[in-house]
Amino acid sequence: MYLLRGPHAQSLLKTISRVNRPYKSPNGKVYNYGYIVDFVDIEDKYNTTIESYIKELEVDINENGEEKGSLAGLVVDKEDINKKYHSYKEQLEDIVSVDNMERLSRQITYFNKGTLLKIRCLLNGIKECETEFILSRAMDYAGQIDSEQNKKLLPMVQERID
């Protein structure tokens, strides 16, 4: 979705949520979700709106007087994504060497299914971090992830699991 003008605060969240609706194109392809590619000059309005919305949700959650709930993790900072990425990468490197595809191919033949599932989980986590970086416009952080290597590793690991 491209928007050439910024929506007002009251319609911003409504506009953003539209990309979550399934869409069937005229050629029959079904899109289950979409991405917002760009808004024009709305970063400040977006941040303010999201912050207000989260506060409003927290008030609703905590209305019954029970434990105080927090939705602070709903919008993730690029530094938090980066920490998560490095954690996945370190865990992966503790298990297997991913810098050499041929060596990796030999190594995974010796792993049991549990270890292979853990490797797949870590590779998927790294892939998700890249997506989160891109959606957060943190391209400098996304650039540290070798997505081509990840695209080759995932099927290799999945083939061994199968």
Side-chain angles (χ1 to χ4, degrees), residues 41-97:
D41 300 326
I42 68 143
E43 189 170 354
D44 292 335
K45 179 69 82 179
Y46 172 80
N47 290 337
T48 304
T49 302
I50 292 295
E51 187 177 309
S52 297
Y53 181 64
I54 289 173
K55 284 180 183 174
E56 184 179 320
L57 287 175
E58 286 176 342
V59 167
D60 288 346
I61 288 171
N62 298 319
E63 202 170 69
N64 60 11
E66 293 179 10
E67 282 183 36
K68 293 289 181 191
S70 174
L71 299 173
L74 189 61
V75 178
V76 183
D77 180 64
K78 62 184 176 183
E79 291 300 329
D80 292 333
I81 301 167
N82 198 40
K83 287 177 190 170
K84 184 170 59 170
Y85 161 66
H86 284 289
S87 173
Y88 289 148
K89 185 177 176 187
E90 288 170 16
Q91 290 177 62
L92 185 61
E93 289 171 349
D94 285 345
I95 300 171
V96 68
S97 173

Side-chain angles (χ1 to χ4, degrees), residues 88-111 115-116 118-120 122-123 126 149 153 156-157:
Y88 289 148
K89 185 177 176 187
E90 288 170 16
Q91 290 177 62
L92 185 61
E93 289 171 349
D94 285 345
I95 300 171
V96 68
S97 173
V98 294
D99 59 343
N100 183 311
M101 297 292 278
E102 191 175 311
R103 187 176 342 143
L104 173 74
S105 179
R106 285 192 308 265
Q107 286 178 321
I108 64 173
T109 61
Y110 298 105
F111 292 135
T115 303
L116 292 167
K118 174 75 172 175
I119 292 169
R120 183 181 67 186
L122 293 168
L123 290 170
I126 290 170
Q149 180 187 45
L153 293 174
M156 185 185 300
V157 171

Side-chain angles (χ1 to χ4, degrees), residues 117-146:
L117 291 171
K118 174 75 172 175
I119 292 169
R120 183 181 67 186
C121 180
L122 293 168
L123 290 170
N124 280 324
I126 290 170
K127 182 178 170 184
E128 289 171 10
C129 287
E130 182 181 27
T131 302
E132 290 174 1
F133 283 139
I134 292 168
L135 293 174
S136 300
R137 296 184 184 175
M139 300 310 290
D140 49 332
Y141 287 90
Q144 68 186 328
I145 298 174
D146 187 346

Side-chain angles (χ1 to χ4, degrees), residues 7-18:
H8 299 289
Q10 67 271 18
S11 65
L12 179 59
L13 291 175
K14 183 177 170 186
T15 303
I16 290 170
S17 68
R18 286 192 180 124

